[in-house]
Amino acid sequence: MPVVNYRSEADVVVLEIDHPPVNALSLAVREGLLAGLKQAGADAAVKAIVIAGANGTFPAGADINEFASGLVLKSPITREVQAQMEATSKPVVAAIAGTALGGGFELALACHWRIAANSAKVGLPEVKLGLIPGAGGTQRFTRLAGPEAALDAITSGTHILASRALELGLVDALADDVVAEAIAFARRAAQENRPLRIVSDLADKITGVKANLFAEFRGKIQAKARGQLAPFRIIDSIQAACTQPKDEAFRIEREFFLECRNSPQRKALVHVFFAEREARKIPDVPADVKPLPIRKAVVIGAGTMGGGIAMNFANAGIPVDLLELSREALDRGLGLIQKNYAGSVTRGSLTQGRVDQALSLIKGITDYEAVAGADIVVEAVFEDMKVKQEVFGKLDRVAAPHAILATNTSTLDIDAIAAATARPEKVVGTHFFSPANVMKLLENVRGKRTAPQTIATVMALGKTLSKVVVLAGNCDGFIGNRMLQFYTGEAEFLLEEGATPEQIDRVSEGFGFAMGPLAVRDLAGNDVGFMIRKGRRIPADERWSPILQRLVEQGRLGQKTGKGFYRYEGRTRIPDPEVLSLIEGVSRELGIKRREIADQEILERLLHPLVNEGAKIVDEGIAIRASDIDVVYVNGYGFPAYKGGPMYWGEEIGLAKVVETMRRLAPSHGTRWRPAPLLERLAASGEGWSSVRSG
Ligand code: NAI
């Protein structure tokens, strides 16, 4: 089967890329295109060429596997295909349907003209894999749409709707039947002898560019892109498009592409990309288990989480009732939802029309009657077992027999909650992260008796709500929060031993975490953190720091009271000598002699406990595979995606090295530094995480 079909429509040849599922530009496709272009170019009866995709889409990118295998660099590379397109004396027109992304869009950009379906999307999302477009994408995009648009679109990797692409000049016309229109367009261009539009020669958008545009843009993305290579190489490359001769600018783009391709960041991001897809697979839930359709949802509790969860359903077009104890609590919750949506409109991330549509799907209620019409109920009431059991008992009585009863608990025992019902097979954890309307992660939690169909339904629900989904087993804190306590706990021990909050957060953020552990505590509320700790069954011989409790006793609850580990002016954190003396007091009390702690030790002490507890979680089958843990940490806990997640990080530095470091630190830091048995086994055998899988 050829992967590029050569089809004649009278005097126009259509080269149709047919390489399911997404027509990725793998080596065979590039070879097919090159051969087709040559054949059509040499045939005097052919007046014009259209490039299109079968399977409803233009190529949605390069073949990601080829980055690892190196085939992406094997001739003919995309640049050679493009050179052939630009060298041909006949009009070449792209017919863009579905999604033209990455290498696929770069291919389209090298055509003389582009026709897009009204529903199509285009974009250069390479940055998300730690790459820059390497086939002239930064150059041609900039020449068509100008550097401002290019900087925004390529450093963020966003998908661009066809209508916007037309405004930006990236495509030349929109159509319903895109192939027919592209054929007609190409034929007209040939008949009229229209001068061929070589995009890489266009110059009007790249002349007279503001001198400080690029420096300003680097500053603008500094906070978000800190530590990353690709976004800055994209800026350099767009700058080259505007300031260097064409050939030199293309050479620079290629050089930066190769630099990024060879960087550990690209490898880590590709790991995360595949890990997120793998996480959806549940070995003991076969693919033929059909998820239940979710047409109507009810959320119980309109607090911090309930409101955000309701927004998720509404954004996905699913009607949702929000149930509260009282009218006042309900009004407060609904008010917060409105405020959140208003913020999205102000920021430009949602249109007023979309918001009105979503709001019309959310209804506030105060009695349980409406629960009967729901396919799923998500409970988000106080984190208190008695309250949850009471709610589930009630839900069991009123909900439809097929309905799924989900809990948003962040730590409690799913089986104990299920025991309050006569349908434990329908009970499951759906752990959203705060703010639930923003955070990408959904950590589903299976109880002992949760049915395969219930699991399949909440996994599919994650996709419907545009979340990254992972399935965890039932234990204290599940995957994410169970590991977190060792990370934040270690931060507090470091404080007792001599570090300051700002030093710890600086090291963590320097590594790439979105926010350091103590700043996160202040954001979530130290009272909440303390309450969760009190709820844990801490073994008598386990060390734990009294610092959190002291802060709470002094009313230092975090951002919400203007002081916690820091003092706050607005949201700006300011080191506070009062906190330091509180910490020093604790050190004295505990008889700990404070010492200078090197940044390197802080980093080791923060990260190793994550890997170690992660190993236990894999060993116990709480996570199906180690890479699921990476997905949880990258999407729910601010772990830098470009470092691949804690388990990936451990394997990259070497599991034997992780064990060695733990053994070195164990004598002075107690039993929690004893390496997990799985970690020791892997270190001894030299195997990696992929050798261990449950199910
Ligand atoms: P919250 O205190 O902000 O909201 C709880 C809401 O539930 C309140 O508005 C309360 O009036 C309502 N409520 C209490 N009992 C009720 C009942 N019987 N029927 C109807 N409504 C009732 O709490 P938050 O932070 O939203 O937490 C809710 C759940 O989500 C907890 O299980 C928590 O552990 C979990 N969670 C919280 C996260 C956070 O960052 N706040 C993150 C992830 C999970």
Side-chain angles (χ1 to χ4, degrees):
M1 282 289 283
V3 290
V4 177
N5 302 320
Y6 188 100
R7 185 174 87 228
S8 296
E9 299 271 345
D11 54 353
V12 178
V13 157
V14 179
L15 298 177
E16 186 195 53
I17 301 160
D18 187 2
H19 186 40
V22 296
N23 301 329
L25 282 189
S26 53
L27 179 61
V29 170
R30 302 193 300 266
E31 283 168 347
L33 281 172
L34 194 61
L37 285 164
K38 283 184 177 160
Q39 186 183 339
D43 185 343
V46 176
K47 300 295 180 221
I49 301 162
V50 165
I51 298 187
N55 316 305
T57 186
F58 207 76
D63 182 338
I64 294 174
N65 289 309
E66 286 195 355
F67 288 114
S69 68
L71 274 186
V72 71
L73 300 180
K74 186 152 188 257
S75 180
I77 61 173
T78 304
R79 282 187 173 215
E80 290 169 71
V81 179
Q82 293 167 319
Q84 184 69 34
M85 283 156 65
E86 290 190 340
T88 185
S89 57
K90 303 168 185 182
V92 181
V93 177
I96 301 173
T99 45
L101 300 175
F105 190 45
E106 290 183 291
L107 187 76
L109 287 173
C111 293
H112 300 119
W113 291 281
R114 283 149 296 283
I115 314 295
N118 288 302
S119 58
K121 284 181 191 160
V122 301
L124 296 173
E126 283 83 347
V127 70
K128 295 183 179 163
L129 293 177
L131 286 167
I132 81 167
T138 62
Q139 305 301 304
R140 293 191 181 89
F141 191 120
T142 305
R143 285 168 186 266
L144 279 171
E148 277 100 345
L151 288 168
D152 277 336
I154 311 177
T155 59
S156 66
T158 42
H159 294 185
I160 303 166
L161 299 175
S163 53
R164 177 73 183 141
L166 183 68
E167 275 168 24
L168 288 174
L170 294 169
V171 303
D172 302 287
L174 303 185
D176 286 326
D177 187 343
V178 71
V179 177
E181 180 55 32
I183 291 170
F185 189 103
R187 183 172 289 132
R188 269 199 312 277
Q191 281 164 355
E192 293 166 6
N193 249 333
R194 216 180 278 177
L196 300 180
R197 197 159 180 254
I198 308 281
V199 174
S200 55
D201 285 339
L202 300 178
D204 55 323
K205 292 270 175 69
I206 56 166
T207 35
V209 173
K210 224 171 51 183
N212 56 354
L213 175 70
F214 302 99
E216 274 175 17
F217 196 82
R218 280 186 196 95
K220 189 175 140 192
I221 66 160
Q222 186 56 45
K224 227 175 119 207
R226 177 170 41 92
Q228 296 178 55
L229 176 64
F232 294 98
R233 287 304 189 224
I234 287 167
I235 301 173
D236 294 342
S237 211
I238 295 172
Q239 183 166 19
C242 299
T243 53
Q244 301 288 331
K246 170 180 155 179
D247 289 347
E248 175 61 6
F250 270 78
R251 191 197 61 73
I252 288 173
E253 184 201 71
R254 184 74 187 160
E255 187 184 310
F256 290 153
F257 165 77
L258 291 174
E259 181 191 8
C260 289
R261 192 194 83 89
N262 294 332
S263 85
Q265 296 191 1
R266 193 272 311 158
K267 200 174 150 219
L269 284 159
V270 170
H271 162 74
V272 173
F273 177 88
F274 284 119
E276 288 176 359
R277 274 144 195 83
E278 187 73 8
R280 297 186 201 133
K281 298 182 194 148
I282 316 300
D284 62 338
V285 179
D288 60 358
V289 176
K290 288 271 164 292
L292 283 172
I294 302 291
R295 298 187 201 91
K296 169 81 198 281
V298 169
V299 174
I300 315 283
T304 311
M305 295 305 291
I309 295 169
M311 289 170 77
N312 277 295
F313 282 103
N315 292 344
I318 301 171
V320 54
D321 289 351
L322 193 51
L323 188 148
E324 256 294 346
L325 287 172
S326 66
R327 196 67 233 178
E328 296 75 58
L330 193 54
D331 288 343
R332 210 175 329 115
L334 291 171
L336 206 59
I337 291 178
Q338 262 156 4
K339 204 172 122 202
N340 277 334
Y341 273 130
S344 303
V345 175
T346 313
R347 279 194 310 278
S349 57
L350 284 177
T351 63
Q352 188 61 47
R354 283 275 296 142
V355 166
D356 292 343
Q357 203 182 356
L359 279 172
S360 73
L361 294 172
I362 304 176
K363 198 169 97 208
I365 56 173
T366 51
D367 67 56
Y368 277 76
E369 227 165 86
V371 169
D375 302 306
I376 189 168
V377 183
V378 181
E379 165 278 313
V381 304
F382 303 132
E383 185 77 342
D384 177 320
M385 181 56 85
K386 262 192 24 221
V387 181
K388 301 238 188 229
Q389 286 184 328
E390 201 185 299
V391 169
F392 271 75
K394 236 193 254 180
L395 290 175
D396 191 30
R397 287 192 290 281
V398 293
H402 76 275
I404 286 174
L405 308 183
T407 171
N408 187 50
T409 181
S410 40
T411 50
L412 298 176
D413 180 358
I414 305 291
D415 294 327
I417 294 173
T421 75
R423 55 173 109 179
E425 72 284 358
K426 292 284 186 186
V427 177
V428 66
T430 49
H431 181 204
F432 290 81
F433 287 70
S434 182
N437 54 315
V438 176
M439 294 291 288
K440 282 299 262 178
L441 183 66
L442 176 62
E443 183 187 37
N444 288 329
V445 189
R446 67 194 292 172
K448 234 193 321 255
R449 296 180 57 190
T450 309
Q453 189 185 44
T454 305
I455 294 172
T457 305
V458 292
M459 295 306 283
L461 176 68
K463 202 159 183 204
T464 309
L465 303 185
S466 305
K467 299 285 180 192
V468 173
V469 209
V470 167
L471 184 67
N474 184 24
C475 66
D476 189 6
F478 319 129
I479 294 175
N481 285 342
R482 169 166 161 185
M483 285 165 65
L484 189 70
Q485 60 193 333
F486 291 92
Y487 166 78
T488 45
E490 203 62 33
E492 288 162 32
F493 299 147
L494 284 161
L495 289 176
E496 290 175 351
E497 292 165 38
T500 62
E502 51 279 19
Q503 186 190 9
I504 292 172
D505 285 341
R506 176 176 50 73
V507 170
S508 162
E509 289 162 16
F511 175 76
F513 271 96
M515 232 184 185
L518 303 169
V520 170
R521 273 229 183 281
D522 273 355
L523 180 69
N526 293 321
D527 50 336
V528 176
F530 182 54
M531 200 188 70
I532 291 174
R533 176 171 300 168
K534 272 199 307 196
R536 281 191 54 222
R537 297 164 294 269
I538 299 178
D541 64 342
E542 191 178 315
R543 170 181 170 190
W544 63 298
S545 168
I547 292 175
L548 199 59
Q549 180 173 0
R550 300 289 159 80
L551 289 173
V552 173
E553 283 163 2
Q554 296 199 6
R556 303 192 72 110
L557 306 187
Q559 282 198 25
K560 60 185 165 191
T561 56
K563 42 189 192 164
F565 283 97
Y566 298 91
R567 185 165 70 73
Y568 287 87
E569 280 175 17
R571 300 178 81 179
T572 309
R573 56 190 202 230
I574 298 159
D576 189 343
E578 270 183 35
V579 175
L580 199 58
S581 61
L582 182 151
I583 294 169
E584 283 165 355
V586 169
S587 307
R588 254 194 318 277
E589 251 172 62
L590 297 173
I592 298 172
K593 190 163 176 309
R594 293 179 68 77
R595 62 189 168 94
E596 190 79 26
I597 304 185
D599 289 358
Q600 177 59 26
E601 179 182 342
I602 291 181
L603 193 62
E604 279 180 350
R605 297 267 305 270
L606 291 176
L607 295 180
H608 282 73
L610 284 174
V611 184
N612 200 47
E613 196 60 19
K616 293 181 191 167
I617 284 173
V618 173
D619 214 9
E620 291 167 28
I622 294 295
I624 294 167
R625 37 186 103 71
S627 62
D628 288 3
I629 296 176
D630 291 332
V631 174
V632 167
Y633 262 74
V634 164
N635 291 289
Y637 294 86
F639 195 102
Y642 63 87
K643 299 244 166 106
M647 308 308 273
Y648 178 89
W649 176 83
E651 192 164 303
E652 281 297 291
I653 62 167
L655 298 183
K657 176 102 192 308
V658 171
V659 168
E660 186 192 305
T661 304
M662 296 216 43
R663 287 197 184 128
R664 171 165 54 78
L665 292 171
S668 28
H669 300 290
T671 52
R672 68 184 189 288
W673 280 85
R674 199 179 296 143
L678 173 61
L679 204 48
E680 289 192 313
R681 285 202 303 276
L682 293 177
S685 71
E687 285 172 302
W689 298 122
S690 63
S691 64
V692 204
R693 246 155 230 266
S694 80

